[in-house]
Amino acid sequence: MVLPVRPASDFDRIASNVAIWHGYDSAVKADLYSTCLMTSAGACLIDPIPLESEALHELIGSARVAGIIVTSSNHHRASSRFAERFSVPIFAPSETFSDKTSRKFTSVADGDEICEELRVIGIEGGSGEIALYHPADDGTLIVGDALINFEPYGFTFLPAKYCSNQKEMMQSLRKLLHYKAERMLFAHGLPILSGASERLQDLLGTDL
């Protein structure tokens, strides 16, 4: 299958252990964001879209790739391609991939840890929806579809028409308040680079 997203030519390093890249998907008429998080176990590539070889080499450097993580059933993107290239597993909730017999697939659920310190936070009310938390450098939260940060919506909840149960999803997002995070990254939208926990508290406190 030909992916509708052209390989990105560059990435942005937003913290010592975090980089993002993005590209426009004509099929969904939206920008798709991907994350590379460096952990003690290696680089975790989260919801990856294609990245040109030269940029990918610069992104990874001498680090090993520890795994590919998919935060939503809607985010297969180039995950299989990256998993094959680096011979690493794809980590995702069990419902995200129909073929669970593949040696490349590892099921994860709420409370699990990937790459040692990277915590999985299950988000109900969506399809295979998870968030991720890493404590280094004052904390990073990475969310799938449950929260977005792009115009004209701004930083807010996924619109109800895209949720299986928006009320359940909004309530489940309160789990994120247990994690102190300076920054928050999204599968759709610009990152919040400072005061992410405070922004999240304002959103959840106002709307729930």
Side-chain angles (χ1 to χ4, degrees):
M1 182 180 70
V2 178
L3 290 170
V5 183
R6 292 182 178 180
S9 61
D10 201 1
F11 62 89
D12 296 304
R13 199 169 298 282
I14 61 173
S16 61
N17 64 328
V18 183
I20 60 173
W21 69 102
H22 65 94
Y24 183 75
D25 185 346
S26 58
V28 299
K29 297 181 173 61
D31 280 317
L32 311 184
Y33 281 75
S34 305
T35 300
C36 174
L37 178 69
M38 292 294 183
T39 73
S40 57
C44 293
L45 305 180
I46 301 160
D47 295 331
I49 64 168
L51 185 63
E52 290 184 359
S53 294
E54 185 176 342
L56 180 60
H57 179 74
E58 182 182 353
L59 174 69
I60 302 301
S62 60
R64 66 179 291 267
V65 175
I68 314 301
I69 306 172
V70 178
T71 65
S72 167
S73 295
N74 300 316
H75 293 173
H76 287 199
R77 301 181 178 181
S79 57
S80 294
R81 184 184 304 179
F82 277 94
E84 290 297 330
R85 175 166 183 166
F86 294 105
S87 298
V88 294
I90 298 172
F91 298 93
S94 59
E95 62 264 42
T96 298
F97 289 89
S98 57
D99 180 12
K100 302 178 182 62
T101 62
S102 170
R103 66 182 181 85
K104 294 295 184 183
F105 177 78
T106 299
S107 178
V108 297
D110 185 56
D112 287 346
E113 286 195 355
I114 306 170
C115 305
E116 299 179 9
E117 294 182 312
L118 185 58
R119 175 65 60 91
V120 176
I121 306 165
I123 305 296
E124 291 78 28
S127 179
E129 189 77 17
I130 60 173
L132 302 165
Y133 176 74
H134 195 265
D137 292 337
D138 298 318
T140 299
L141 278 168
I142 304 167
V143 296
D145 284 339
L147 294 171
I148 58 175
N149 189 35
F150 60 88
E151 297 303 328
Y153 303 102
F155 174 48
T156 190
F157 304 105
L158 183 69
K161 64 181 178 179
Y162 300 115
C163 306
S164 58
N165 187 327
Q166 189 191 48
K167 184 176 181 180
E168 183 181 30
M169 179 178 283
M170 292 166 70
Q171 186 63 38
S172 184
L173 283 166
R174 296 195 71 85
K175 296 178 186 178
L176 303 186
L177 296 175
H178 297 294
Y179 301 89
K180 180 64 176 175
E182 180 69 8
R183 64 197 66 81
M184 184 181 298
L185 312 180
F186 305 88
H188 299 285
L190 295 170
I192 294 173
L193 299 180
S194 63
S197 288
E198 290 76 11
R199 293 283 301 278
L200 188 61
Q201 179 66 64
D202 289 344
L203 178 67
L204 296 175
T206 299
D207 291 88
L208 293 184

